[in-house]
Amino acid sequence: AKQELIFSVRKKLLNVTEQIDELQLEEDEAVFNVNDLSLRRQVEQNDLWNFQHDYERKMEKELKRKRIVEEKMKWAVKFYTLSGKPDKREPLIYCEKINGCDGNNVQQYLDTIKSKTDQLQAQQYLTSVFKPFQRIWDSFDDLVSGDGLHSHFFDKHSSKENERVEI
């Protein structure tokens, strides 16, 4: 009976120690999960803060760039009277009271200027590319207009009729 009592107490003790070990493992796992989630949350908050900070800096740079462009546009144009003296009146373009210019039109102005510049560059390029062929086209136009080969290649006022004229 004593042996049975000792062995039954020992079994209960082993059962209790196993339960304590299981509970300790669960507690350790829960502590690990809490720490891991806390760390992940902190990393995510830092990423969000960095994203917001980068966005704010980007917006500040954009506003600063727009202000600089607007200021350059204000100072780049100098108005003169017909007599050549500087016009000291405030230009209508920048008068906020008259046309409500608040700086939002700066990008539209820049786009318009760029498109006009591109058109001018394209026109100048085409002119320079086709300029060497202009003389040839003019001679063909003369042929088509009815002057004929004789009038184009021979001088009408020359005393010698078969003398070639330099083109």
Side-chain angles (χ1 to χ4, degrees), residues 153-165:
F153 288 110
F154 296 102
D155 187 11
K156 294 178 185 177
H157 304 292
S158 165
S159 61
K160 297 179 184 175
E161 196 146 317
N162 292 335
E163 183 179 326
R164 281 189 79 88
V165 175

Side-chain angles (χ1 to χ4, degrees), residues 68-101:
I68 289 171
V69 167
E70 188 176 273
E71 193 67 28
K72 283 183 179 179
M73 285 177 64
K74 284 181 183 178
W75 289 98
V77 178
K78 294 187 179 183
F79 295 92
Y80 295 92
T81 61
L82 294 176
S83 64
K85 294 180 180 177
D87 192 359
K88 296 183 179 178
R89 293 177 295 171
E90 185 176 358
L92 293 178
I93 296 172
Y94 301 106
C95 183
E96 294 177 8
K97 296 173 187 170
I98 293 175
N99 66 358
C101 181

Side-chain angles (χ1 to χ4, degrees), residues 13-26:
L13 182 63
L14 287 176
N15 260 347
V16 169
T17 56
E18 284 178 10
Q19 287 176 355
I20 289 175
D21 289 340
E22 286 176 12
L23 289 174
Q24 187 65 38
L25 285 175
E26 287 178 10

Side-chain angles (χ1 to χ4, degrees), residues 31-154:
V31 168
F32 175 77
N33 287 338
V34 166
N35 290 338
D36 186 48
L37 288 176
S38 175
L39 182 65
R40 287 185 187 192
R41 181 176 170 267
Q42 186 64 38
V43 167
E44 188 172 337
Q45 280 183 342
N46 288 343
D47 288 345
L48 288 173
W49 183 85
N50 288 336
F51 179 77
Q52 183 178 1
H53 184 70
D54 291 343
Y55 177 76
E56 288 172 356
R57 279 193 173 187
K58 180 181 168 187
M59 294 308 294
E60 286 174 4
K61 282 183 181 180
E62 185 70 22
L63 286 173
K64 184 178 179 182
R65 187 185 67 78
K66 283 184 180 181
R67 281 190 301 244
I68 289 171
V69 167
E70 188 176 273
E71 193 67 28
K72 283 183 179 179
M73 285 177 64
K74 284 181 183 178
W75 289 98
V77 178
K78 294 187 179 183
F79 295 92
Y80 295 92
T81 61
L82 294 176
S83 64
K85 294 180 180 177
D87 192 359
K88 296 183 179 178
R89 293 177 295 171
E90 185 176 358
L92 293 178
I93 296 172
Y94 301 106
C95 183
E96 294 177 8
K97 296 173 187 170
I98 293 175
N99 66 358
C101 181
D102 59 357
N104 292 333
N105 299 329
V106 171
Q107 189 62 39
Q108 290 175 338
Y109 293 143
L110 291 176
D111 292 341
T112 304
I113 290 169
K114 183 175 181 344
S115 73
K116 295 288 184 185
T117 305
D118 290 344
Q119 289 174 356
L120 182 64
Q121 286 176 346
Q123 184 179 8
Q124 289 176 348
Y125 173 75
L126 289 175
T127 303
S128 67
V129 166
F130 291 110
K131 194 171 190 171
F133 301 107
Q134 187 66 40
R135 221 171 69 192
I136 296 170
W137 287 334
D138 290 342
S139 66
F140 285 129
D141 286 342
D142 289 343
L143 289 174
V144 170
S145 68
D147 291 340
L149 288 174
H150 183 72
S151 65
H152 187 66
F153 288 110
F154 296 102

